[in-house]
Amino acid sequence: MTPDAPPGGPRPPDLLPPAPAPGPPAAAPARFEAAGVATVVCHDGAEALLQAGARRPRALLLGAPLPVVDCARVTTLVARLHPVPVVVAAGADGAAEATDALAAGAVAYVARPYRTEEIIPLLAFGRAPAPLVVGDIELDPVGFHVHVRGNQLRLPVREFMVLRYLMEHVGRVVPRAELTRALWGTDTLDSNTLTVHVRRVRNKLQEAGGSCTIDAIRGMGYRLEVARVRR
């Protein structure tokens, strides 16, 4: 919960986001403000800790890799000093650090560049997103666990994000360009990179005996389908 502002004092910020990167993500703080989310931008982990103690925000959004003090250490210290939800946004170069932050207690990991609509629900409800269940697949975005028919499926971070995105859009053909923008933050990804990640996820689902399939729609993208049960 956000502490009440002192009488006549400034309102505590809703979110401490990382300093914006060059390009379109630089507009993120403005988009948060437009949605009514008060922000204080931090440039490194030390500043995030300082501002968290001084300003007592509702949540922290950490960019991985995070300079000076890494995401996992910030998450651990915030949990002791000022427990609030911590969300980590990471690109390919920050995936390992983001995973460590999740182990330290971060509530979610989103791909960078992130979408403000991914972050705002975490503020509005003050809790981590609920598990996703599609057919016999259960995905826990907090603990980064995937279970198929009750058996744990071990996925690297990027494969986890591919599966999560397809589960969030089950039954819809997700264009390749949409997947690469959402999960890699680029339109220039080597086309074989996405193909390999999707193939690995598909194979692991099949090996686990799952009933859901990932279909490649030629010239369009991918679709996660739930097998129909015959009566």
Side-chain angles (χ1 to χ4, degrees), residues 64-65 89-99 109-113 157-158 161 183-186 189 193 197:
D93 57 341
E97 185 173 330
T99 302
Y109 164 25
V110 296
R112 195 175 191 181
V157 170
R158 194 63 67 178
M161 299 301 290
L183 304 183
W184 277 268
T186 180
L189 184 73
T193 299
H197 279 77

Side-chain angles (χ1 to χ4, degrees), residues 22 26-27 34-36 39 59 82 100 112 114-115 121 125 127 133 147-148 150 167 171 173 192 194 201 223:
T39 63
H82 174 51
D100 290 342
R112 195 175 191 181
Y114 52 80
R115 297 169 293 168
F125 297 107
R127 62 174 184 266
V133 179
H147 289 86
V148 177
M167 290 177 69
V173 177
N192 191 53
L194 178 60
V201 175
R223 180 179 60 213

Side-chain angles (χ1 to χ4, degrees), residues 82-161:
H82 174 51
V84 293
V86 175
V87 179
V88 180
D93 57 341
E97 185 173 330
T99 302
D100 290 342
L102 287 168
V107 300
Y109 164 25
V110 296
R112 195 175 191 181
Y114 52 80
R115 297 169 293 168
T116 53
E117 57 268 27
E118 292 180 279
I119 310 300
I120 290 174
L122 302 179
L123 300 176
F125 297 107
R127 62 174 184 266
L132 291 171
V133 179
V134 173
D136 51 18
I137 307 171
E138 182 174 347
L139 181 147
D140 175 8
V142 177
F144 251 55
H145 299 305
V146 178
H147 289 86
V148 177
R149 295 190 173 183
N151 299 312
Q152 186 169 357
L153 190 67
R154 298 189 181 278
L155 298 178
V157 170
R158 194 63 67 178
E159 292 176 22
F160 181 95
M161 299 301 290

Side-chain angles (χ1 to χ4, degrees), residues 13-39:
D14 295 305
L15 181 68
L16 298 185
R31 291 199 296 268
F32 281 124
E33 297 284 348
V37 177
T39 63

Side-chain angles (χ1 to χ4, degrees), residues 69-91:
V69 182
D70 67 25
C71 291
R73 185 61 177 162
V74 170
T75 301
T76 299
L77 291 173
V78 164
R80 294 177 186 171
L81 304 174
H82 174 51
V84 293
V86 175
V87 179
V88 180

Side-chain angles (χ1 to χ4, degrees), residues 13 16 23 40 48 53 55 69 100 109 146 156 159 165 168 170 177-178 186 197 210 217 221-222 226:
L16 298 185
V40 173
R55 306 292 294 273
V69 182
D100 290 342
Y109 164 25
V146 178
E159 292 176 22
Y165 199 89
E168 290 173 337
V170 61
E178 179 180 335
T186 180
H197 279 77
I217 311 302
Y222 299 97
V226 180

